[in-house]
Amino acid sequence: MPDQMTPLAVTAYTASSAIGHGLAAQLDALRQARSGLRPNDFSSAPLACWIGRVAGLEDAPLPPAHAAWECRNNRLAWLGLNQDGFLDRVRAARARYGADRVALLLGTSTASIGATEAAYRRLDADGGFADADLQMPALHAPHSLAAFVAAALTLTGPCLTVSTACSSGAKVFASAERMIRLGLVDAAVVGGVDTLCDSVLFGFNALELVSAAPCRPFDAARDGISIGEAAGFALLERIETAPAAPRLLGYGEASDAHHMSTPHPHGLGAELALRDALARAGLAPAQVDYINLHGTASLKNDEVEAALLARMFPARTRASSTKGYTGHTLGAAGIIEAAIALQAIEHGFVPGNLGGDTPDPGCGPQFAWANEQQRVEVALSNSFGFGGNNACLAFARAGFAA
Amino acid sequence: MTPLQVYVEGIGLWSPQLADFAALRMLLDGATPAPPPARPTATALPPNERRRAPESVLLAVEVAGQAVAMSGRDAATLACVFASSHGDQAITDYMCATLAQAPAELSPIRFHNSVHNAPAGYWTIATGCHAPSTAVAAQRASFGAGLLEAVSQALAGQRPVLLVCSDSGGSGPLAEVTGCGQSFGCALVLAPQAGPASVARLSLSTLSGYGAAAALPAPLDAWRDANASASALALLQLLARGHGRCQLPAAAALGLDLGVEAVA
């Protein structure tokens, strides 16, 4: 087990998804139990499913200075950066520490693959990319998101794309903690952005993992995921600089070593990640007030995760999946759900597990099926991905001592 | 900053011209090493997985297996960082072409092989590794950025880490924009402390305002131009010679200053 780590301050954070732009809209949708899912009106060919589509992106081009990065994923990144005063907080960190002393670590599953898909729909007569697409090589690579955000934020320090499918947006917190601890940087912008695209809609559909109805996490009759898109960011600094800010208390990462697209039947990697996060945070399971679950509404994930929850936590720990609100936002899920965990701490609010009208019998007493109002000192967020890639984050209120 | 220090315990290498790290040594000594078979053998994978795995996975597993064998470590215990600038370009090309013509016919296997962490997934499954694994990208700086992540993990976690950086050759319209025409992969096993398997001490510090990469001797320079992961050749040639200094890109405007010293 790892040693307990020195917590980091989460000095700013923001989230934008199908339930709204920014934290106030997100909290309002959660409080009103208002899902952002709607019938699929996005894919280039019809596909009967529900999606979590962010409103307004079609009418929100990048500013002219960033036109070379124009694509839906970077539009969503820019929209996300412009919420909750986040840009100003990054500018202040850049001024305080220097542009090369702030790391930029972003998770994404497919980055701007939508732009590559579009280029393939309009190939030249000779079968190659059209001239306009040839002129934007940086868009046709997995690093396009982080490269754009680095340019937009004028950050010149370490800059990394983490792409471990659906755990990407959580693992960036772990990379940031290591770099700050080693003195490579003084602060880190972490986050994740993924946008709807044909690759994921038709890809998950080919794997028979997509529901034709709005997803129902942990429901006995659940029959698959709903795919969403989102952008979220957080700024991490040492706690001495912001003693009143909420804290990243710990993180855990582990591999299933089982199957490329099916979780380990006993949640082995998920449990290892969870226990690692608790050890780094110096927490016992009974000290955890709220867990934002991965809860995708796939048959297997929810079965394995519900069993893990039931065997590790007391009944007083509250838990829910919020994918019934946002859909599964893939590489952004880690950061969006970290933001929900942080809002649970900030507002004393446990969001209900939307869509679980007939709870699966494997679910224990920890599930918050409807919204609950209660003080939350410690909140966890689970993120599990293809390839058996698991991550767990632990957050706490300012001043919390394990 | 005080330079970070790690110990290199294993080195893996594969390209159409070089079967392993020993072949690079031969080349630098003026000999002509025999080229490897057209496809990496990737013996760490069980035969059925080897048949199913895409080329990008075979390449990453091949170099990972070489480096771990040289280190004498148990692969199941090693945290791993898999870096790649473009992932599997052949699959991306297949997916985008299929989606443009008949999206409902997309292959489920090719889709799950398309994730950037497919090599990490195949590797951890084949070796029974439950340690943390990650998959990263940083355009032309993927090797340097992956090295920084791997060194961070080794020193912050005080544990040995396997770094793999590989890109398989492109095909179709996509290859026109990636400029990545031939395969190249390499791997390092890095440990926080010196041990019986240490072959070199690596010191690393970051450099702000990094510009263009330094020249490499032929034919290494052309190989580097043909594959983003081959920026690693600047470090690999120092490891082959046993000592020296070089600089590598780690981000658009950030470099790594690397020093290699032999371990007595």
Side-chain angles (χ1 to χ4, degrees), chain A residues 306-354:
Chain A
L308 175 61
L309 185 68
R311 72 174 176 266
M312 273 193 68
F313 290 92
R316 65 162 293 275
T317 298
R318 314 310 296 151
S320 60
S321 161
T322 45
K323 291 200 168 58
Y325 292 91
T326 58
H328 188 355
T329 61
L330 308 177
I335 184 72
I336 294 300
E337 292 161 24
I340 293 173
L342 288 162
Q343 285 189 300
I345 292 168
E346 187 180 342
H347 300 282
F349 169 72
V350 170
N353 186 95
L354 191 67

Side-chain angles (χ1 to χ4, degrees), chain A residues 44-45 100-101 105 109 113 116-117 120-121 123 127-129 133-144 147 156-165 167 171 174-175 177-179 181-184 198-200 202-207 251 253-261 264 268-269 272 276 280 385-389, chain B residues 1 4 49 80 84-87 89 92-97 99-101 103-104 106-109 111-113 115-122 124-125 127-139 142 145-146 148-149 151-153 155-157 159 171-178 204 206 208-209 250-254:
Chain A
S44 67
D100 61 345
R101 295 290 301 172
L105 309 161
S109 182
I113 191 90
T116 312
E117 293 170 5
Y120 271 74
R121 287 196 295 266
L123 295 176
F129 272 18
D133 296 311
L134 279 175
Q135 283 158 19
M136 302 172 93
L139 282 189
H140 305 291
H143 193 53
S144 62
T156 59
C159 174
L160 188 68
T161 296
V162 174
S163 187
T164 53
S167 58
K171 287 171 76 77
S175 295
E177 191 277 333
R178 292 185 282 260
M179 285 191 184
R181 178 143 51 109
L182 293 172
L184 282 164
D198 279 359
S199 293
V200 294
F202 288 101
F204 281 104
N205 181 64
L207 284 168
Y251 58 84
E253 304 165 276
S255 308
D256 273 353
H258 174 68
H259 191 270
M260 273 305 292
S261 55
H264 188 282
L268 182 56
L272 287 170
D276 249 37
R280 272 200 189 82
F386 268 15
N389 203 291
Chain B
M1 63 176 276
L4 303 177
E49 294 284 294
C80 44
S84 176
S85 295
H86 297 289
Q89 294 184 79
T92 306
D93 176 59
Y94 156 80
M95 294 221 346
C96 290
L99 290 168
Q101 285 148 21
L106 196 69
S107 150
I109 304 285
F111 172 65
H112 88 197
N113 282 341
V115 293
H116 199 70
N117 61 319
Y122 276 89
T124 52
I125 293 166
T127 59
C129 173
H130 297 286
S133 58
T134 193
V136 301
Q139 265 292 23
S142 294
L148 195 57
E149 170 68 16
V151 168
S152 297
Q153 288 197 20
L155 295 178
R159 65 184 303 167
S171 56
L174 180 64
E176 274 187 274
V177 285
T178 62
L204 175 158
T206 53
S208 293
L254 186 79

Side-chain angles (χ1 to χ4, degrees), chain B:
Chain B
M1 63 176 276
T2 315
L4 303 177
Q5 287 199 339
V6 293
Y7 292 84
V8 178
E9 295 188 340
I11 306 163
L13 175 58
W14 196 95
S15 74
Q17 299 83 14
L18 301 170
D20 52 24
F21 181 61
L24 175 65
R25 277 198 161 126
M26 279 181 66
L27 181 86
L28 294 172
D29 286 343
T32 306
R39 273 163 73 89
T41 45
T43 50
L45 292 178
N48 59 330
E49 294 284 294
R50 213 177 303 152
R51 278 192 301 274
R52 279 198 302 214
E55 178 135 358
S56 60
V57 169
L58 296 177
L59 175 62
V61 169
E62 170 67 27
V63 294
Q66 289 180 18
V68 172
M70 183 171 164
S71 76
R73 298 263 183 188
D74 176 4
T77 63
L78 294 174
C80 44
V81 175
F82 285 80
S84 176
S85 295
H86 297 289
D88 194 306
Q89 294 184 79
I91 292 185
T92 306
D93 176 59
Y94 156 80
M95 294 221 346
C96 290
T98 304
L99 290 168
Q101 285 148 21
E105 292 171 19
L106 196 69
S107 150
I109 304 285
R110 296 246 213 152
F111 172 65
H112 88 197
N113 282 341
S114 76
V115 293
H116 199 70
N117 61 319
Y122 276 89
W123 171 259
T124 52
I125 293 166
T127 59
C129 173
H130 297 286
S133 58
T134 193
V136 301
Q139 265 292 23
R140 301 285 305 178
S142 294
F143 176 75
L147 178 61
L148 195 57
E149 170 68 16
V151 168
S152 297
Q153 288 197 20
L155 295 178
Q158 285 297 302
R159 65 184 303 167
V161 176
L162 167 66
L163 167 67
V164 176
C165 185
S166 56
D167 273 285
S168 52
S171 56
L174 180 64
E176 274 187 274
V177 285
T178 62
C180 181
Q182 75 165 18
S183 294
F184 181 92
C186 65
L188 299 173
V189 174
L190 303 169
Q193 258 97 39
S198 299
V199 294
R201 183 167 64 205
L202 180 62
S203 64
L204 175 158
S205 43
T206 53
L207 286 170
S208 293
Y210 177 77
L216 280 178
L220 274 52
D221 54 349
W223 295 344
R224 182 174 63 184
D225 289 345
N227 189 302
S229 286
S231 70
L233 281 166
L235 174 61
L236 294 171
Q237 67 159 353
L238 299 187
L239 289 168
R241 293 188 172 123
H243 62 89
R245 297 200 77 77
C246 71
Q247 297 182 353
L248 282 176
L254 186 79
L256 297 182
D257 185 43
L258 299 169
V260 171
E261 287 174 76
V263 177

Side-chain angles (χ1 to χ4, degrees), chain A residues 80-390:
Chain A
L81 287 168
N82 278 279
Q83 310 303 316
D84 299 305
F86 192 79
L87 277 179
D88 287 339
R89 304 301 294 270
V90 176
R91 282 192 195 105
R94 196 177 62 215
R96 177 174 190 166
Y97 302 115
D100 61 345
R101 295 290 301 172
V102 181
L104 175 65
L105 309 161
L106 297 181
T108 187
S109 182
T110 53
S112 50
I113 191 90
T116 312
E117 293 170 5
Y120 271 74
R121 287 196 295 266
R122 53 174 181 244
L123 295 176
D124 269 350
D126 62 2
F129 272 18
D131 287 347
D133 296 311
L134 279 175
Q135 283 158 19
M136 302 172 93
L139 282 189
H140 305 291
H143 193 53
S144 62
L145 164 71
F148 161 64
V149 174
L153 300 178
T154 54
L155 293 177
T156 59
C159 174
L160 188 68
T161 296
V162 174
S163 187
T164 53
C166 308
S167 58
S168 310
K171 287 171 76 77
V172 289
F173 284 86
S175 295
E177 191 277 333
R178 292 185 282 260
M179 285 191 184
I180 292 173
R181 178 143 51 109
L182 293 172
L184 282 164
V185 291
D186 298 308
V189 174
V190 298
V193 184
D194 254 326
T195 25
L196 291 165
C197 57
D198 279 359
S199 293
V200 294
L201 287 164
F202 288 101
F204 281 104
N205 181 64
L207 284 168
E208 300 178 341
L209 287 173
V210 178
S211 175
C215 68
R216 288 169 286 176
F218 298 102
D219 191 281
R222 67 184 179 276
D223 62 356
I225 69 174
S226 300
I227 295 167
E229 60 187 353
F233 300 93
L235 179 61
L236 302 176
E237 300 175 70
R238 295 192 178 92
I239 44 175
E240 304 84 71
T241 64
R247 293 171 176 194
L248 173 71
L249 224 52
Y251 58 84
E253 304 165 276
S255 308
D256 273 353
H258 174 68
H259 191 270
M260 273 305 292
S261 55
T262 306
H264 188 282
H266 307 299
L268 182 56
E271 180 168 341
L272 287 170
L274 186 52
R275 290 192 184 279
D276 249 37
L278 291 173
R280 272 200 189 82
L283 289 170
Q287 290 174 282
V288 176
D289 299 304
Y290 172 61
I291 307 176
N292 188 291
L293 300 168
H294 189 53
T296 60
S298 83
L299 284 177
K300 257 345 237 188
N301 175 80
D302 290 11
E303 177 193 321
V304 168
E305 196 177 16
L308 175 61
L309 185 68
R311 72 174 176 266
M312 273 193 68
F313 290 92
R316 65 162 293 275
T317 298
R318 314 310 296 151
S320 60
S321 161
T322 45
K323 291 200 168 58
Y325 292 91
T326 58
H328 188 355
T329 61
L330 308 177
I335 184 72
I336 294 300
E337 292 161 24
I340 293 173
L342 288 162
Q343 285 189 300
I345 292 168
E346 187 180 342
H347 300 282
F349 169 72
V350 170
N353 186 95
L354 191 67
D357 298 334
T358 314
D360 185 292
C363 293
Q366 300 86 358
F367 275 83
W369 298 107
N371 290 345
E372 297 176 9
Q373 208 63 40
Q374 71 158 61
R375 190 172 168 88
V376 176
E377 292 285 323
V378 172
L380 306 186
S381 177
N382 283 347
S383 299
F384 311 140
F386 268 15
N389 203 291
N390 306 282

